[in-house]
Amino acid sequence: MTTIARPQPLGVLALPAGWLVVPADALAAEGVVAARDRLLSGLLPDPWPDALAAHATAAGGDTDAAAALVDPAAGPEHAYNHFVLTGEPSSLELARAGADGDLAALVEVAAYALGHTDRLPDADALDGEVRAHVLAATAAAFLEQRDVQSALDALVAAEEAATPVSTVLGALLLGQQAGLLQEAQGADPDVVNAYVEAVDALRGMTAVEHALGELALGLGTAYHELAASREEGSGLLVEAVRCYHLALRILKAPEGRPQERPERYAFAHSNLALCYLAMPMTGDRDKLRRGVAVQSLREALKYYTREEHPAEWASVTLNLANAMQYLPTTHPVENLVEAVGLYDEVLAVRSADEDPLGYARVLANQGTALSHLGIHDRARERLDEARALFAAGGDSGALVTVDAALRDIDAALQGVGTQASAASTVAGA
């Protein structure tokens, strides 16, 4: 029977590499102990020792090649690693046959995750990073059952078990707690503080950049959410922007390589743009922010496509159209023409029957853009249609905005000039 050498860098690398163990028979090889210790510190080995070639290959994303480097017949730890990489039942049988204690628990967690059993091991007799690993899997199982409180309790216990042995794993588990709390109850100072502690603990750690990017993105959304409901909103938006920039630096694909997480990259760009657009314009630097916001929205649309991400595509396209209307520029007509075309694209995929108020907001904003171009007849048609939908839906605030835009058109047609009230998109568009 075989147990594993401790400590193990469980959970540090992205899956499946983060579930691999360092076999006891490899620890005598040159550089392996140092490599393990670097991983426990959140750093990638440089270079990886030959004895951990499978770990290095898995960390690089080539799971099949990593599996080919593992001999499942070499012992229970090797069989476990092979099973993690392949899911093959024969490797599971070999791992189970020779494992007890810590390794047996890890085997059963992997078997559960890969669909070979419906039971997780009990964590009561375990400690340290192995206990944390089992409890993290238990938390995921509770989430599948929609038992958020039990999942949170398991994550808290997992963090407490991990931190004395692996501060990196402890920080990662704290970040998971923050994300779960935010999803369950929205952003609040406790959520922000948990994210901040996790992000600060993981900065500069090459082995966990994949997780740091996600946590920075989560922290950005928490600041962003709080900014909408607090007096210090501008300062919170600044913090959100910093987080989104950090996330983008990590998520950005190296030159010449495809984007590995396109949806997350697009999400970060979209949110960064919304932050910039929400900031008040008081000077030339603020005008530059509007330009950066437009570029971020365009970048997001490289990855959000109408066919694969219709809801995200429509939202970003609409935000781009709204931004183009009021982007400080020396060629406003071109921007307005582009905005009108973007609104047409959104209207083509939205339905007045399914979302009458949302459809009306697009109509109203396009009507405003058309009026800025002097195309008053078509602008009035759009605004009248929007007004009818707003009236039917009881949106009095939007009615006020649309009525002001209609009065401005009347004034323009009478030669009086356009009033400032026409320079507002309908809120919530």
Side-chain angles (χ1 to χ4, degrees), residues 381-401:
E381 289 176 2
R382 293 302 202 193
L383 290 167
D384 283 341
E385 187 178 353
R387 193 186 192 288
L389 290 169
F390 285 137
D395 192 333
S396 57
L399 281 174
V400 171
T401 302

Side-chain angles (χ1 to χ4, degrees), residues 39-377:
L39 286 171
L40 285 165
S41 299
L43 302 173
L44 289 173
D46 185 21
W48 283 87
D50 292 342
L52 295 184
H55 295 66
T57 305
D62 193 340
T63 304
D64 291 339
L69 296 171
V70 180
D71 178 8
E77 294 160 295
H78 299 275
Y80 164 77
N81 284 345
H82 193 264
F83 175 62
V84 166
L85 294 169
T86 66
E88 292 181 359
S90 58
S91 295
L92 174 58
E93 290 177 10
L94 287 171
R96 276 177 168 165
D100 64 1
D102 299 333
L103 182 59
L106 297 181
V107 169
E108 294 310 310
V109 168
Y112 179 88
L114 294 172
H116 294 272
T117 181
D118 58 2
R119 294 184 61 186
L120 281 164
D122 192 336
D124 288 347
L126 304 172
D127 63 7
E129 74 279 20
V130 175
R131 174 176 168 81
H133 183 77
V134 173
L135 286 170
T138 302
F142 278 129
L143 283 179
E144 290 180 358
Q145 301 166 17
R146 301 183 184 276
D147 187 345
V148 175
Q149 186 57 56
S150 293
L152 184 60
D153 291 343
L155 285 175
V156 171
E159 180 206 350
E160 292 174 349
T163 301
V165 181
S166 174
T167 56
V168 177
L169 180 56
L172 292 170
L173 291 166
L174 180 61
Q176 289 184 36
Q177 292 173 42
L180 181 55
L181 279 171
Q182 183 182 8
E183 183 177 345
Q185 63 187 37
D188 61 22
D190 289 337
V191 168
V192 168
N193 290 338
Y195 269 131
V196 168
E197 185 177 341
V199 168
D200 287 347
L202 300 176
R203 286 181 189 272
M205 294 185 176
T206 54
V208 292
E209 274 205 334
H210 63 285
L212 178 59
E214 289 296 327
L215 290 176
L217 191 50
L219 178 56
T221 63
Y223 278 129
H224 202 162
E225 185 179 339
L226 284 177
S229 60
R230 293 178 175 258
E231 293 183 1
E232 66 273 26
S234 294
L236 292 170
L237 286 175
V238 170
E239 293 300 326
V241 164
R242 290 173 179 163
C243 293
Y244 291 142
H245 276 299
L246 173 59
L248 286 168
R249 283 198 297 272
I250 295 170
L251 293 169
K252 185 176 181 180
E255 190 169 347
R257 291 178 59 183
Q259 181 56 251
E260 293 182 1
R261 287 172 279 177
E263 290 83 4
R264 303 302 287 165
Y265 183 71
F267 178 73
H269 263 300
S270 175
N271 279 16
L272 176 64
L274 292 177
C275 279
Y276 279 140
L277 293 172
M279 292 178 176
M281 287 183 57
T282 58
D284 291 339
R285 178 174 293 184
D286 299 312
K287 294 178 181 179
L288 290 174
R289 291 194 185 110
R290 291 291 179 102
V292 173
V294 167
Q295 293 307 311
S296 277
L297 291 169
R298 294 192 190 281
E299 187 69 16
L301 286 173
K302 293 179 182 179
Y303 303 96
Y304 282 151
T305 65
R306 184 187 305 191
E307 295 74 23
E308 295 184 6
H309 316 92
E312 293 85 353
W313 173 87
S315 177
V316 174
T317 301
L318 182 55
N319 288 327
L320 177 58
N322 290 342
M324 293 299 291
Q325 280 210 61
Y326 305 109
L327 180 67
T329 179
T330 57
H331 42 83
V333 172
E334 291 89 338
N335 286 353
L336 286 168
V337 169
E338 181 180 357
V340 169
L342 291 169
Y343 288 128
D344 277 331
E345 291 184 36
V346 176
L347 288 169
V349 299
R350 289 201 171 178
S351 168
D353 293 330
E354 294 179 1
D355 183 12
L357 293 180
Y359 190 83
R361 293 185 185 102
V362 183
L363 288 170
N365 290 339
Q366 187 183 50
T368 302
L370 288 165
S371 69
H372 290 161
L373 285 168
I375 308 175
H376 297 304
D377 289 345

